[in-house]
Amino acid sequence: MPRNQQMLLDSRPQGEATAANFKLVTTDTPPLQDGQVLVRHHYLSLDPYMRGRMNDSKSYAASQGLGEVMIGGTVGEVAESRHPGFAPGDKVVGMGGWQEWSVVDAGQPGALRKVDTTHVPLSYYLGAVGMPGVTAWYGLVKIINPKAGETLVVSAATGAVGSAFVALAKARGCRVVGIAGGPDKCRYATEELGFDACIDHRQHPDLKSMSAALKAACPNGIDGYFENVGGHILDAVLLRSNAFARVAVCGMIAGYDGQPLPLQNPALILINRMRVEGFIVSEHMEVWGEALKELGGLVAAGKLRPRETVAEGLAAAPEAFLGMLKGKNFGKQLVKLV
């Protein structure tokens, strides 16, 4: 059995996370038992939710255990199998974590899923046609539920979720405005991803300025908002929202270091009779089949062409992760492991 590099959570962050919170180790891979599969990971997904798991605090999921392999989605290839449903060479997606190899109890529901790479690149199953894509789909379809002609806004617009969101929303006839950091990302949003407009949040660092930018970009108001960030951006969106607007709350990256994110004027939710709903996509497995079918079709048709930022090797994962939290990545952040 192969030697396996693993990245562990070595200590909990005190405020901002640092590379010192992680520890790289090498271990022996255990021999397979009946029903198990050995997977060689090709790519590791780095996602904002991982930062919240590093804290020892109440959340929607258990905290990442100290001294344990960091949680994370992976795609790879079956190297050895003692399960009848998997054979060596099968391309698979799962939650293998920050490591080069994983031994998976393949009989557990949802533990491992075979994927077809004929029309969809393997890495896309961690982004556009994976958890981030389904996240965009659920927030759009099940919470915002837009009508053609409505104006929708999404923060973190050029990331894995935002790039899927715009493709899905444009397919439904909506006007879509993104919020991203820096002129390069905003240009990418409008010229490549298909956003109707994109606001550079670095140019609008306070409520008054962001509200004015949203008013200019959304002259008919905002009917739906997909929230990834929080802070003054959410306050500004509430100021510009129409009656009966819907807000899908996916993430609050501005607060992942542990500070609370107060709302300045929550009465607007009542005044505008808004629907504000948080969701965790793993709690809605019943929609994944439908969502992945639509997302795969958009990729095959060339209507969803997400960009990826790829770090090389497991040792590079902590710095790539910390950079992603600061918006240094372009599109989906991955780590290449082979």
mmCIF file of all heavy atoms in Angstrom, residues 119 167 192 295-306:
data_model
loop_
_atom_site.group_PDB
_atom_site.id
_atom_site.type_symbol
_atom_site.label_atom_id
_atom_site.label_comp_id
_atom_site.label_asym_id
_atom_site.label_seq_id
_atom_site.Cartn_x
_atom_site.Cartn_y
_atom_site.Cartn_z
ATOM 1 N N HIS A 119 -17.426 14.493 -21.372
ATOM 2 C CA HIS A 119 -17.695 15.870 -21.769
ATOM 3 C C HIS A 119 -17.378 16.887 -20.669
ATOM 4 O O HIS A 119 -17.392 18.084 -20.928
ATOM 5 C CB HIS A 119 -19.164 16.028 -22.183
ATOM 6 C CG HIS A 119 -19.564 15.134 -23.318
ATOM 7 N ND1 HIS A 119 -19.075 15.293 -24.591
ATOM 8 C CD2 HIS A 119 -20.407 14.067 -23.362
ATOM 9 C CE1 HIS A 119 -19.595 14.366 -25.383
ATOM 10 N NE2 HIS A 119 -20.397 13.612 -24.662
ATOM 11 N N ALA A 167 -24.694 31.554 -14.906
ATOM 12 C CA ALA A 167 -25.111 30.731 -16.041
ATOM 13 C C ALA A 167 -26.534 30.215 -15.848
ATOM 14 O O ALA A 167 -27.358 30.228 -16.785
ATOM 15 C CB ALA A 167 -24.142 29.568 -16.228
ATOM 16 N N GLU A 192 -16.551 37.348 -19.762
ATOM 17 C CA GLU A 192 -16.469 35.899 -19.940
ATOM 18 C C GLU A 192 -17.616 35.135 -19.283
ATOM 19 O O GLU A 192 -18.118 34.176 -19.853
ATOM 20 C CB GLU A 192 -15.134 35.373 -19.413
ATOM 21 C CG GLU A 192 -13.922 35.883 -20.192
ATOM 22 C CD GLU A 192 -12.636 35.202 -19.764
ATOM 23 O OE1 GLU A 192 -12.652 33.970 -19.570
ATOM 24 O OE2 GLU A 192 -11.619 35.910 -19.593
ATOM 25 N N LEU A 295 -26.405 21.464 -14.781
ATOM 26 C CA LEU A 295 -25.066 22.046 -14.774
ATOM 27 C C LEU A 295 -24.165 21.366 -15.808
ATOM 28 O O LEU A 295 -23.429 22.034 -16.543
ATOM 29 C CB LEU A 295 -24.458 21.933 -13.377
ATOM 30 C CG LEU A 295 -25.121 22.819 -12.307
ATOM 31 C CD1 LEU A 295 -24.846 22.262 -10.920
ATOM 32 C CD2 LEU A 295 -24.629 24.257 -12.422
ATOM 33 N N GLY A 296 -24.243 20.036 -15.887
ATOM 34 C CA GLY A 296 -23.453 19.314 -16.878
ATOM 35 C C GLY A 296 -23.845 19.691 -18.291
ATOM 36 O O GLY A 296 -22.987 19.812 -19.181
ATOM 37 N N GLY A 297 -25.146 19.910 -18.501
ATOM 38 C CA GLY A 297 -25.616 20.342 -19.811
ATOM 39 C C GLY A 297 -25.099 21.714 -20.188
ATOM 40 O O GLY A 297 -24.731 21.954 -21.345
ATOM 41 N N LEU A 298 -25.032 22.630 -19.215
ATOM 42 C CA LEU A 298 -24.506 23.973 -19.482
ATOM 43 C C LEU A 298 -23.021 23.921 -19.835
ATOM 44 O O LEU A 298 -22.554 24.646 -20.719
ATOM 45 C CB LEU A 298 -24.730 24.874 -18.268
ATOM 46 C CG LEU A 298 -26.180 25.313 -18.003
ATOM 47 C CD1 LEU A 298 -26.285 25.993 -16.646
ATOM 48 C CD2 LEU A 298 -26.679 26.245 -19.106
ATOM 49 N N VAL A 299 -22.270 23.054 -19.148
ATOM 50 C CA VAL A 299 -20.849 22.902 -19.468
ATOM 51 C C VAL A 299 -20.683 22.325 -20.863
ATOM 52 O O VAL A 299 -19.900 22.822 -21.683
ATOM 53 C CB VAL A 299 -20.157 22.009 -18.416
ATOM 54 C CG1 VAL A 299 -18.752 21.621 -18.883
ATOM 55 C CG2 VAL A 299 -20.069 22.731 -17.077
ATOM 56 N N ALA A 300 -21.431 21.264 -21.175
ATOM 57 C CA ALA A 300 -21.317 20.617 -22.481
ATOM 58 C C ALA A 300 -21.690 21.566 -23.616
ATOM 59 O O ALA A 300 -21.121 21.496 -24.713
ATOM 60 C CB ALA A 300 -22.207 19.370 -22.520
ATOM 61 N N ALA A 301 -22.633 22.486 -23.340
ATOM 62 C CA ALA A 301 -23.080 23.432 -24.355
ATOM 63 C C ALA A 301 -22.181 24.660 -24.444
ATOM 64 O O ALA A 301 -22.415 25.543 -25.279
ATOM 65 C CB ALA A 301 -24.517 23.866 -24.067
ATOM 66 N N GLY A 302 -21.171 24.746 -23.587
ATOM 67 C CA GLY A 302 -20.269 25.893 -23.606
ATOM 68 C C GLY A 302 -20.831 27.129 -22.937
ATOM 69 O O GLY A 302 -20.259 28.218 -23.057
ATOM 70 N N LYS A 303 -21.941 26.986 -22.209
ATOM 71 C CA LYS A 303 -22.555 28.133 -21.545
ATOM 72 C C LYS A 303 -22.044 28.325 -20.118
ATOM 73 O O LYS A 303 -22.374 29.313 -19.470
ATOM 74 C CB LYS A 303 -24.077 27.966 -21.541
ATOM 75 C CG LYS A 303 -24.687 28.003 -22.942
ATOM 76 C CD LYS A 303 -26.184 27.817 -22.899
ATOM 77 C CE LYS A 303 -26.781 27.872 -24.303
ATOM 78 N NZ LYS A 303 -28.252 27.650 -24.286
ATOM 79 N N LEU A 304 -21.257 27.386 -19.625
ATOM 80 C CA LEU A 304 -20.652 27.483 -18.295
ATOM 81 C C LEU A 304 -19.193 27.084 -18.449
ATOM 82 O O LEU A 304 -18.873 25.902 -18.633
ATOM 83 C CB LEU A 304 -21.386 26.578 -17.301
ATOM 84 C CG LEU A 304 -20.817 26.483 -15.880
ATOM 85 C CD1 LEU A 304 -20.612 27.850 -15.259
ATOM 86 C CD2 LEU A 304 -21.738 25.629 -15.003
ATOM 87 N N ARG A 305 -18.320 28.086 -18.425
ATOM 88 C CA ARG A 305 -16.893 27.857 -18.630
ATOM 89 C C ARG A 305 -16.127 28.452 -17.443
ATOM 90 O O ARG A 305 -15.515 29.520 -17.550
ATOM 91 C CB ARG A 305 -16.425 28.480 -19.938
ATOM 92 C CG ARG A 305 -17.120 27.941 -21.167
ATOM 93 C CD ARG A 305 -16.551 28.519 -22.454
ATOM 94 N NE ARG A 305 -16.651 29.976 -22.487
ATOM 95 C CZ ARG A 305 -17.730 30.640 -22.891
ATOM 96 N NH1 ARG A 305 -18.805 29.985 -23.270
ATOM 97 N NH2 ARG A 305 -17.740 31.964 -22.900
ATOM 98 N N PRO A 306 -16.165 27.781 -16.324
ATOM 99 C CA PRO A 306 -15.545 28.355 -15.119
ATOM 100 C C PRO A 306 -14.024 28.340 -15.195
ATOM 101 O O PRO A 306 -13.420 27.465 -15.802
ATOM 102 C CB PRO A 306 -16.045 27.422 -14.010
ATOM 103 C CG PRO A 306 -16.277 26.119 -14.703
ATOM 104 C CD PRO A 306 -16.762 26.463 -16.084
#
